[in-house]
Amino acid sequence: MTTHEVPSALMADGFRARKDFGIGGLGKTATIAAAGALVAEGIVGSQAPVTLLVTLPLTAAVIGLAAARRHGMSALAYYWAKFAWRRAARFEATSYRRVLLPHPYALDLPGVGATSTLIKAHDPTTGRSVGVVHDRARGYMTITTLLAPGGSLMAPTGTVHSSLRTWSSVLDAMSTDDQIKGASVTIQITPGAGEALGDDVKARKDPRAPQLAKRVIDDLVRTTPHATASVAPWMSVTVDPNASANPPADLAEQVAEALRVVDSLDLSGTGTDIERRCTDVDLRRLVRAAYDPAVFNARDSDFAELSWSECGPQAADDGWEEYAHDGGVSISWVLREMPRRPIAYSVLLPLLAPGRFQRRITLAYRVLDPHEGEAVLEREISNAYNRAQATAEVKGRAKWSQKADAQRAEQAAAQVAGGAQVVDWTLMVTVTARSTADLPAARQELERAIKATRGIRMRPAFGAQAAVFAAGLPLGYNPLVRD
């Protein structure tokens, strides 16, 4: 058996989660809170010692939960989120029924998409219409671009390396533009293209071709519609048009400014081609087909007259580990931890391989400006050395994992000093099954794909299924974008 050796030039590393400095596994905020609680108990206990019989065990339990880990997060945060979700479910706040909502809320999308609205604009550079999603609460605008990525597995090493360098340049451009708040790249794989495959073959068939060739193509289209998959990649960029030196005076100028900023990002040479900016019909199709996959291959005319609110679900229930909506049930997972070793550029290939169920993979980015990135890394180096020193004072020596973590922080700082950028990013995956009965098979398929990446660790989006589901759609919502 032979193995494919990935050249070192095509390996990526430098992944590191932010870590606060605290005592006993606590973060900085938790340590300060615990110290404050113990001091307060000491003051109260000096006047009424009997109260310590109640307060000390309770404080110890809370501190223990804050220090313990559950699914890669604080156990206290996990159980508090579960309590909050159950409380919301008791008051039916996790259920959405569009037809029962009064005006004007019936005109909004549910959840994180409630503040968004769709604007149909004209792009003077291409002469085509463009769909712009406007966040009415913050004033941000999101423009989505349909992509046509080329395969890179068979490409020469130099070509792939050049694509990676060019994508790094795109991130550099984002870091120096105050108007770009964040971006996300989504790839949606829908199995069984069916009618779409037949329409595509019919449009490309040469009428002068030999009859034998025509019969072979017709037989392939007829016998293999469910063995195909439709791949729809897109990139969404969130822009603050009012962050310019001369803020736009009205909505039309804001849209024009957002288009100008997005046009300044050059994706040529990144291994993908720009198909076109998403029109308002494209956005309606992507959003509506996510909630109801049965309409994914419908004609454009079926989406042209839909209002923005009609693109959302008629009914939805946000569960602890699943999200039930019009055309099926979805499960969403989020990134827990990246490998601490270099990984190949093709590490996400198992997640991108077609399966039985529709799958949506989203990489969300927020590029820190150079000054913020440098400050973050200096703080991370200090935290890493403080943790190692505290452990050494207690146990006589620091843990090897702590020493390695400090070295990774220093390596990241050296890369930034050489011109690299610090990027906050996360990975989200959503799988949609047509029925509740298919949900176990969909979850198993997702778990196998994640394990096949050999190192990437993910977990269910506990209590945030609807939000993560929406984060993979061109709704203008990016969990990393802050005010």
Side-chain angles (χ1 to χ4, degrees), residues 205-220:
K205 188 187 299 182
D206 188 348
R208 296 170 298 179
Q211 291 298 323
L212 177 60
K214 291 181 180 180
R215 286 198 298 269
V216 171
I217 292 298
D218 292 339
D219 290 342
L220 287 175

Side-chain angles (χ1 to χ4, degrees), residues 101-116:
L101 292 178
H103 180 81
Y105 305 105
L107 302 179
D108 293 334
L109 292 173
V112 296
T115 61
S116 68

